[in-house]
């Protein structure tokens, strides 16, 4: 059986690949200028990041705080054919003397072939908050 990937799923897959390789220009090209990313919890990495520049700065902070060890392994990408994609993954990183590995997911809204909104979910919000540290 041949697998034909939905265009919205292909867009999200390209985003994960660009994130993993540090390709910020490709990431920028996949998002609307007013895209929003919503991260759960109450840590320094939690909140609502509005605009592509703020989202890319947020991604940069993930890398900075983990000294470049932050990685994401995609487990599945599931489009609904109506402008939404759910992606599940496993993420890990090291920060100081501790590491973390956790399942999570992103719920994407796609408008006009670009990501306009991303809602992030993690398996254990309290553990994620403890890893990232308190909001500043």
């Amino acid at each position: 059986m041949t697998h034909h990937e939905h265009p919205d799923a292909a867009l999200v897959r390209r985003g994960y690949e660009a994130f993993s390789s540090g390709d910020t220009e490709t990431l920028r090209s996949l998002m609307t200028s007013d895209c929003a990313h919503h991260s759960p919890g109450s840590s320094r990495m939690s909140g609502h990041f509005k605009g592509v520049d703020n989202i890319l700065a947020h991604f940069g902070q993930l890398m900075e705080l983990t000294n470049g060890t932050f990685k994401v392994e995609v487990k599945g990408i599931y489009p609904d054919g109506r402008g939404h994609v759910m992606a599940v993954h496993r993420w890990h990183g090291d920060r100081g003397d501790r590491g973390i590995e956790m399942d999570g997911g992103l719920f994407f809204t796609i408008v006009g072939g670009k990501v306009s909104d991303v809602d992030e979910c993690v398996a254990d919000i309290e553990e994620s908050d403890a890893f990232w540290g308190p909001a500043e």
Side-chain angles (χ1 to χ4, degrees), residues 4-17:
H4 298 285
E5 188 167 50
H6 189 277
D8 291 346
L11 175 75
V12 168
R13 188 173 308 284
R14 282 185 60 214
Y16 270 98
E17 290 167 356

Side-chain angles (χ1 to χ4, degrees), residues 27-40:
L27 280 171
R28 180 181 297 281
S29 76
L30 301 177
M31 294 183 270
T32 61
S33 62
D34 64 345
C35 186
H37 182 105
H38 314 279
S39 292

Side-chain angles (χ1 to χ4, degrees), residues 60-95:
Q61 192 173 22
L62 290 170
M63 294 303 177
E64 182 180 321
L65 290 173
T66 62
N67 200 25
T69 65
F70 189 86
K71 304 287 183 209
V72 178
E73 179 187 351
V74 177
K75 299 292 187 180
I77 297 175
Y78 312 109
D80 71 354
R82 298 183 315 271
H84 301 103
V85 175
M86 184 177 3
V88 293
H89 57 252
R90 186 143 186 97
W91 61 275
H92 63 273
D94 297 311
R95 185 161 181 258

Side-chain angles (χ1 to χ4, degrees), residues 1-134:
M1 183 170 132
T2 302
H3 175 74
H4 298 285
E5 188 167 50
H6 189 277
D8 291 346
L11 175 75
V12 168
R13 188 173 308 284
R14 282 185 60 214
Y16 270 98
E17 290 167 356
F19 178 88
S20 292
S21 68
D23 183 351
T24 57
E25 288 311 308
T26 295
L27 280 171
R28 180 181 297 281
S29 76
L30 301 177
M31 294 183 270
T32 61
S33 62
D34 64 345
C35 186
H37 182 105
H38 314 279
S39 292
S42 58
S43 76
R44 68 188 321 157
M45 295 308 295
S46 302
H48 305 284
F49 304 90
K50 180 80 170 168
V52 69
D53 290 333
N54 289 325
I55 294 169
L56 293 176
H58 173 67
F59 293 166
Q61 192 173 22
L62 290 170
M63 294 303 177
E64 182 180 321
L65 290 173
T66 62
N67 200 25
T69 65
F70 189 86
K71 304 287 183 209
V72 178
E73 179 187 351
V74 177
K75 299 292 187 180
I77 297 175
Y78 312 109
D80 71 354
R82 298 183 315 271
H84 301 103
V85 175
M86 184 177 3
V88 293
H89 57 252
R90 186 143 186 97
W91 61 275
H92 63 273
D94 297 311
R95 185 161 181 258
D97 62 352
R98 75 181 290 171
I100 191 169
E101 188 169 342
M102 185 178 295
D103 291 329
L106 299 171
F107 183 79
F108 297 86
T109 300
I110 298 169
V111 176
K114 292 193 174 199
V115 174
S116 67
D117 196 79
V118 183
D119 284 298
E120 180 181 354
C121 298
V122 295
D124 187 331
I125 293 172
E126 289 181 11
E127 180 65 22
S128 178
D129 282 349
F131 176 76
W132 294 116

